[in-house]
Amino acid sequence: MLAEALPVVAAVEGHIGAIGYGLAAIGPGIGVGIIFGQGVNAIARQPELTGVIRTNMLLGFVLTEALALIGLVAPFIYR
């Protein structure tokens, strides 16, 4: 009875998994930007350590993208 009296202010349309993945992709997207931005900055400061910095940068990228893939799969598993 109370639900019928309240007007619908906003309706979420679409698959809730897609909305969940959209929200889950924000964090890893920001993380990847920070990783590569700081990696380029570090290489510019110490070019002799390019190999070490690039290795660490790619390792951080892989771990961050794993979070994005988990965010893609989780909404479909937990319906």
Side-chain angles (χ1 to χ4, degrees), residues 20-35 60 63-65 67-68 71:
Y21 177 64
L23 293 174
I26 292 172
I30 293 170
V32 167
I34 291 171
I35 288 169
L63 294 173
T64 304
E65 282 300 313
L67 292 176

Side-chain angles (χ1 to χ4, degrees), residues 3-4 6 9 11 15 17 19 26 31 50 52 54 66 69 72 75 79:
E4 295 172 3
L6 296 174
V9 177
H15 193 268
I19 295 169
I26 292 172
T50 299
V52 174
R54 184 180 299 136
L69 292 175
L72 173 65
R79 293 194 206 191

Side-chain angles (χ1 to χ4, degrees), residues 2 6 8 15 20 22 26 28-29 36-37 39 43 45-47 49-50 57-58 60 65 68-69 73 75 78:
L2 181 61
L6 296 174
V8 175
H15 193 268
I26 292 172
F36 282 108
I43 290 172
R45 289 177 181 264
Q46 293 187 337
L49 294 177
T50 299
M57 189 169 54
L58 290 176
E65 282 300 313
L69 292 175
V73 174
Y78 300 114

